[in-house]
Amino acid sequence: MDIDIEEWASGARPAIRDMIDSLGGDVEAFDADPLSAVAVLDDLINRMPGRQF
Protein backbone atom coordinates (compact mmCIF):
# COMPACT_ATOMS: atom_id res chain seq x y z
CA MET A 1 0.00 0.00 0.00
CA ASP A 2 1.44 3.33 -1.09
CA ILE A 3 0.76 6.40 1.01
CA ASP A 4 0.78 9.80 -0.60
CA ILE A 5 2.34 12.00 2.09
CA GLU A 6 1.22 15.23 0.41
CA GLU A 7 -2.38 14.02 0.36
CA TRP A 8 -2.20 12.83 3.97
CA ALA A 9 -0.71 16.14 5.14
CA SER A 10 -3.31 18.24 3.34
CA GLY A 11 -6.08 16.10 4.84
CA ALA A 12 -4.63 16.28 8.35
CA ARG A 13 -3.99 20.03 8.28
CA PRO A 14 -7.59 21.14 9.12
CA ALA A 15 -7.75 18.77 12.10
CA ILE A 16 -4.37 19.92 13.40
CA ARG A 17 -5.38 23.55 12.87
CA ASP A 18 -8.57 22.98 14.90
CA MET A 19 -6.55 21.32 17.67
CA ILE A 20 -4.09 24.23 17.80
CA ASP A 21 -7.01 26.65 17.97
CA SER A 22 -8.70 24.69 20.78
CA LEU A 23 -5.43 24.76 22.74
CA GLY A 24 -5.24 28.54 22.45
CA GLY A 25 -2.51 28.55 19.81
CA ASP A 26 -2.10 31.12 17.06
CA VAL A 27 -3.70 29.55 13.98
CA GLU A 28 -2.49 32.35 11.71
CA ALA A 29 1.09 31.59 12.76
CA PHE A 30 0.38 27.89 12.14
CA ASP A 31 -0.92 28.71 8.65
CA ALA A 32 2.29 30.61 7.88
CA ASP A 33 4.64 28.11 9.57
CA PRO A 34 3.33 24.77 10.85
CA LEU A 35 6.38 24.40 13.10
CA SER A 36 5.03 27.27 15.18
CA ALA A 37 2.64 24.71 16.69
CA VAL A 38 5.49 22.84 18.36
CA ALA A 39 5.47 25.13 21.42
CA VAL A 40 1.71 24.66 21.87
CA LEU A 41 2.00 20.88 21.59
CA ASP A 42 5.02 20.80 23.93
CA ASP A 43 3.01 22.72 26.51
CA LEU A 44 0.12 20.26 26.19
CA ILE A 45 2.40 17.28 26.71
CA ASN A 46 4.22 18.91 29.61
CA ARG A 47 0.89 19.42 31.41
CA MET A 48 -0.28 15.82 30.90
CA PRO A 49 0.15 13.31 33.71
CA GLY A 50 2.95 10.88 32.92
CA ARG A 51 0.58 7.93 33.21
CA GLN A 52 -1.26 9.02 30.06
CA PHE A 53 1.75 7.96 28.04
Side-chain angles (χ1 to χ4, degrees), residues 1 7 12 17 21-24 27 37 41 46 48 52-53:
M1 176 179 180
E7 183 179 336
R17 190 178 194 278
D21 187 38
S22 72
L23 294 171
V27 291
L41 298 174
N46 285 332
M48 287 180 136
Q52 286 189 308
F53 293 101

Side-chain angles (χ1 to χ4, degrees), residues 23 40 42-49 52:
L23 294 171
V40 175
D42 279 347
D43 181 57
L44 171 67
I45 290 174
N46 285 332
R47 290 184 286 125
M48 287 180 136
Q52 286 189 308

Side-chain angles (χ1 to χ4, degrees), residues 5-40:
I5 299 298
E6 294 287 331
E7 183 179 336
W8 177 86
S10 67
R13 187 177 204 77
I16 297 168
R17 190 178 194 278
D18 287 346
M19 182 176 64
I20 297 303
D21 187 38
S22 72
L23 294 171
D26 183 350
V27 291
E28 291 178 7
F30 174 75
D31 290 340
D33 178 16
L35 290 177
S36 67
V38 170
V40 175

